[in-house]
Amino acid sequence: MTRPTIPLEERLIIGLDVPSVEEARALVARIGEAGRFYKIGYRLGFSGGLGFARELVDAGKKVFLDFKLHDIANTVEEGVAAVAAMGVDFLTVHAYPQTMRAAVAGRGDGGLRILAVTVLTSWDDADLAEAGFSGDVASLVSRRAAQARDIGIDGIVASAAEAARLRGVVGAEIAIVTPGIRPAGAEAGDQKRVVTPAAALAAGADHLVVARPIIRAEDPRAAAEAVLAEMAQAV
């Protein structure tokens, strides 16, 4: 089975990791047509970002709400149903089986796609041990990816370092969304498992989440175009 064809510009998801809607709106305007898909996380979401998400949808942009839901099943199902009504494209939940089943039940038949977060890209084996997990990051990521596949999740969030192996676990149709992306020569920041855009796509990732290298650049549009150029080498 072949993987779905995704336009290059929709493979790049720009993380709007800024404190206000005003700053996010200015960034989107500066990036222009180089940005078609945007991620909104806690910081912006809790500062008016949900209303801004609707604004982006109305402007024809794709939107990824990175809220990593995890709660009792009924609460997750109802929350996901409310998000589905907004018209956004992606929503993250943590990859616990009960949570994933509830999210699948709540998404309905619209365009919302549920992404399961396997293991945060800021975690390594030592972090897992400190949190009380046995085994290593690679084993836990594979186990959760297989559970997500069996439950009917639309995609998984995982480091590009695991993308090639996970493609064999989840098959061709489940999306792999990769954070922790840094263009060649960029600093890793707080991420412990980082990969360049071209390498991530070559490894099997479908969508790449890039924030700091674009939104903190002197020219965000030029930075986004540079990332797209790197991605084009692997598509």
Side-chain angles (χ1 to χ4, degrees), residues 1-50:
M1 187 178 295
T2 59
R3 289 164 59 189
T5 300
I6 305 169
L8 180 67
E9 293 80 5
E10 294 181 8
R11 289 181 179 272
L12 172 61
I13 301 175
I14 299 172
L16 292 174
D17 298 341
V18 294
S20 70
V21 169
E22 290 74 18
E23 193 170 343
R25 188 179 289 119
L27 271 169
V28 171
R30 292 183 68 190
I31 294 169
E33 289 304 310
R36 297 191 186 174
F37 210 146
Y38 288 96
K39 178 181 76 71
I40 294 174
Y42 293 151
R43 188 185 191 191
L44 181 58
F46 298 153
S47 302
L50 290 178

Side-chain angles (χ1 to χ4, degrees), residues 170-183:
V170 302
E173 293 189 340
I174 293 179
I176 296 178
V177 179
T178 301
I181 298 296
R182 295 291 185 269

Side-chain angles (χ1 to χ4, degrees), residues 1-7 10-13 37-40 57 62-69 76 79-94 99-117 148-149 151-157 167 170-178 204-208:
M1 187 178 295
T2 59
R3 289 164 59 189
T5 300
I6 305 169
E10 294 181 8
R11 289 181 179 272
L12 172 61
I13 301 175
F37 210 146
Y38 288 96
K39 178 181 76 71
I40 294 174
V57 170
K62 290 184 173 293
V63 176
F64 170 8
L65 294 184
D66 188 17
F67 288 173
K68 301 180 181 70
L69 302 186
V76 171
V80 170
V83 171
M86 295 174 60
V88 302
D89 299 274
F90 286 172
L91 170 69
T92 46
V93 303
H94 277 290
T99 295
M100 291 191 288
R101 293 188 190 99
V104 168
R107 75 182 170 199
D109 298 325
L112 179 64
R113 301 177 72 191
I114 304 298
L115 307 179
V117 177
R149 175 202 64 207
I151 288 168
I153 289 292
D154 302 294
I156 58 173
V157 179
R167 183 57 68 193
V170 302
E173 293 189 340
I174 293 179
I176 296 178
V177 179
T178 301
D206 294 296
H207 299 273
L208 312 183

